Amino acid sequence: MTRVAVVTGGSAGLGRATVRELAARGWDVAVLARGKDGVDAAVAEVEAAGRRGLAVLVDVSEREAVEAAADRVEAELGPIDLWVNDVMVGVFGRFLDTDPDDFERALHVTYLGCVNGTRAALSRMVPRDRGQVIQVGSALGFRGIPLQAAYCGAKHAIVGFTESVVSELEQQGSKVAISRVDMPALNTIQFQWVKSKLPHQAQPVAPIYQPEVGARAIAATAERPRRRTWVGESTVYTILGNRISARFADWYAAKTLVSGQQAPQKDGAALGVNLYEPIPGDHGAHGVFDDSAHAWSPQTWWVEHRRLGNGIIGAVLGAAGAIALAAGRRR
């Protein structure tokens, strides 16, 4: 069976890891991004896995360009079964120190890029009454932190936008699925090419996970759709902690996350700024934090093996019940 996926931002970072994971699981993959070197390299990996790939150069903040890209995908690969909205650009620095044009550019790509991708996907999927859109969210879509106001604002907006569209599809009785997969801090290339006002190299907030952790969660959600998936223990703690005490979360973020998002030992790792134009070259999936990034966690294993995990719980509870019943009979 042919399954066609589109991954925006698929040339590097989490998007690149997702392209690899989907191809390994038998998907044909169209890679949408701005940088030719990375897009071509990602498609070569899809083809090396024995699947069809398609390279499409597009800036997802441009609605008409995204529509044209979707038309090309369906003309060359076939009907789109899965659309993954992963693309983002960022600016690091205090809000009042950030150039307003840079701030708006980050919102246009990260938020409106998601909106444009969702529109392109749904306008084709809804008439067929099948397909799935996956929004790559973040723990920072629920808890804002200092120095990343544009990114946090965009990810918060994606949550509200997605909930609105999901409710509309449900009211219509549509079989098209929209899922949101919320990520922890990942060791991706984004921290080397964000526009930064920081004195030191930008870094993810620890704990850091490898991008393959997120990619496996996306692929698992594609194969067994569910509306919301949290990836990594830190995402769970962040979201639940903010629900319990937002004031404490404000204090903790202010106290720890300005220095916690800088890595003096990695100074010099920056590649340039990709906010308006792509950085030439193939940059792969990983950033410069391999030495501190986790490739696995119990929580993400559960996301990937939910049925097996639930079966184990059922078996344990069943055995415990049988033991308790036998013990009661002996009394």
Side-chain angles (χ1 to χ4, degrees):
M1 179 181 67
T2 299
R3 298 181 296 175
V4 176
V6 172
V7 180
T8 71
S11 62
L14 173 61
R16 182 65 168 273
T18 300
V19 168
R20 293 169 178 167
E21 185 68 24
L22 290 172
R25 296 185 184 216
W27 292 78
D28 297 336
V29 186
V31 182
L32 275 58
R34 296 173 301 162
K36 187 177 189 306
D37 296 333
V39 170
D40 288 345
V43 167
E45 291 178 341
V46 173
E47 294 172 346
R51 306 307 307 174
R52 296 181 301 159
L54 179 64
V56 185
L57 299 181
V58 63
D59 184 331
V60 297
S61 69
E62 300 173 5
R63 177 176 54 82
E64 292 182 357
V66 176
E67 291 291 342
D71 285 340
R72 184 180 167 198
V73 173
E74 297 219 324
E76 298 191 32
L77 296 183
I80 298 167
D81 300 293
L82 172 68
W83 187 292
V84 180
N85 283 310
D86 174 64
V87 73
M88 62 81 62
V89 295
V91 288
F92 268 68
R94 298 183 190 278
F95 171 61
L96 290 180
D97 294 336
T98 303
D99 184 278
D101 289 339
D102 293 344
F103 195 96
E104 290 177 12
R105 170 63 177 170
L107 290 178
H108 288 164
V109 175
T110 307
Y111 173 55
L112 291 182
C114 174
V115 171
N116 293 339
T118 302
R119 180 184 287 109
L122 292 184
S123 65
R124 291 158 178 80
M125 294 175 179
V126 169
R128 297 191 287 256
D129 205 26
R130 63 181 176 86
Q132 182 183 13
V133 176
I134 293 180
Q135 319 287 36
V136 176
S138 170
L140 302 188
F142 300 86
R143 171 65 246 175
I145 62 174
L147 309 180
Q148 291 199 61
Y151 180 79
C152 293
K155 290 300 184 180
H156 273 74
I158 287 169
V159 171
F161 163 71
T162 301
E163 290 175 346
S164 179
V165 175
V166 165
S167 65
E168 292 174 1
L169 292 176
E170 181 145 326
Q171 188 274 330
Q172 296 165 13
S174 175
K175 294 180 182 177
V176 176
I178 301 186
S179 304
R180 197 181 67 241
V181 183
D182 296 313
M183 296 294 166
L186 299 173
N187 172 36
T188 69
I189 200 75
Q190 68 160 308
F191 298 93
Q192 292 168 259
W193 62 25
V194 297
K195 187 166 186 179
S196 176
K197 295 278 190 176
L198 306 182
H200 299 293
Q201 172 65 45
Q203 74 167 8
V205 176
I208 304 168
Y209 296 87
Q210 295 289 23
E212 288 79 11
V213 173
R216 291 195 298 268
I218 290 170
T221 302
E223 294 179 345
R224 296 188 181 88
R226 62 197 311 269
R227 288 193 180 169
R228 301 174 188 87
T229 298
W230 297 346
V231 180
E233 292 88 350
S234 56
T235 298
V236 176
Y237 300 153
T238 298
I239 295 173
L240 294 182
N242 195 58
R243 289 179 182 176
I244 294 168
S245 179
R247 285 183 66 89
F248 174 79
D250 289 340
W251 174 85
Y252 181 82
K255 194 77 171 175
T256 66
L257 295 186
V258 171
S259 62
Q261 293 183 82
Q262 300 182 66
Q265 73 277 17
K266 301 289 185 179
D267 286 349
L271 296 169
V273 176
N274 82 330
L275 185 60
Y276 296 97
E277 300 293 338
I279 303 297
D282 173 26
H283 302 286
H286 286 209
V288 294
F289 299 97
D290 280 330
D291 54 348
S292 56
H294 305 288
W296 180 87
S297 79
Q299 191 275 341
T300 53
W301 182 92
W302 200 275
V303 168
E304 297 168 48
H305 304 90
R306 197 177 307 276
R307 290 183 179 179
L308 175 60
N310 290 342
I312 292 172
I313 287 180
V316 170
L317 291 177
I323 292 171
L325 181 61
R329 286 176 177 172
R330 286 196 296 269
R331 290 189 181 125

